[in-house]
Amino acid sequence: MSSWESRIHPRTCAACVIFGRPIHGLGKRVPAIQQKRTVAFLNQFVVHTVQFLNRFSTVCEEKLADLSLRIQQIETTLNILDAKQNSTQDSGQQESEVSAENILTVAKDPRYARYLKMVQVGVPVMAIRNKMISEGLDPDLLERPDAPVPDGEIEKTTEESSDSESSFSD
């Protein structure tokens, strides 16, 4: 007999000893835990664990969505600041350069300037191109801001502006 067996009462069940709590009884057997009760405890544990994990994942998703929104806002702000910095650098370079001719470029044309600004701010290029097409402007000029504005479009805008001015004078 081993040392632990010598300390056990002869009528103690082996399962009780294994779990560390010897039950001394005179021939009385400890009844097993009912199977229904075990299943109920297990079910309760699973339900509570699933509820906890669902709440945890919901909170995590909300926090990730908030972080994503904050990152987008920071990126937009960064794009705006870069555009401002580039415009101040560009204006300093333009002042130092003396142009031989006064040619209206795409960057200087107010119709195209707003679209170039949208590109700098980070608006999707395809959306800008579609809007330009719907307004009758050439979307390929977005890639060449220093290109001269096509002559036909200047005449068209001067005609439109004179028409709009005459309609107000009546």
Side-chain angles (χ1 to χ4, degrees):
M1 240 206 268
S2 67
S3 64
W4 66 273
E5 290 175 341
S6 63
R7 287 184 267 150
I8 299 174
H9 191 274
R11 293 192 178 147
T12 303
C13 74
C16 297
V17 174
I18 293 173
F19 294 115
R21 295 190 180 139
I23 299 176
H24 299 287
L26 301 173
K28 294 182 182 176
R29 297 189 71 177
V30 177
I33 297 176
Q34 295 175 355
Q35 189 175 9
K36 288 181 183 179
R37 200 169 185 188
T38 304
V39 170
F41 285 137
L42 185 61
N43 256 349
Q44 183 181 13
F45 172 77
V46 169
V47 167
H48 285 291
T49 303
V50 167
Q51 288 174 347
F52 168 78
L53 291 174
N54 284 338
R55 278 181 278 172
F56 180 76
S57 68
T58 303
V59 169
C60 288
E61 286 176 358
E62 290 172 359
K63 289 188 179 199
L64 284 174
D66 290 341
L67 283 175
S68 176
L69 180 64
R70 286 179 57 196
I71 288 172
Q72 287 177 350
Q73 290 172 343
I74 290 171
E75 286 176 347
T76 303
T77 304
L78 182 63
N79 287 337
I80 291 171
L81 290 175
D82 283 341
K84 285 181 181 180
Q85 182 182 14
N86 290 340
S87 69
T88 57
Q89 290 174 352
D90 291 344
S91 66
Q93 290 174 357
Q94 288 175 356
E95 291 171 2
S96 64
E97 296 175 1
V98 178
S99 63
E101 299 178 74
N102 286 335
I103 298 176
L104 184 61
T105 61
V106 174
K108 294 178 185 176
D109 188 354
R111 293 170 299 149
Y112 287 98
R114 71 181 203 175
Y115 296 110
L116 291 170
K117 183 92 170 169
M118 287 180 189
V119 170
Q120 290 175 345
V121 170
V123 176
V125 177
M126 287 307 297
I128 298 170
R129 292 177 68 85
N130 290 338
K131 181 69 174 168
M132 289 178 73
I133 291 170
S134 72
E135 292 185 5
L137 300 174
D138 184 10
D140 294 330
L141 293 176
L142 281 177
E143 298 168 8
R144 300 172 304 190
D146 295 329
V149 176
D151 293 332
E153 292 182 10
I154 294 174
E155 294 171 6
K156 185 173 152 184
T157 55
T158 55
E159 289 174 9
E160 288 176 359
S161 64
S162 64
D163 290 343
S164 63
E165 290 172 4
S166 64
S167 65
F168 287 118
S169 63
D170 289 343

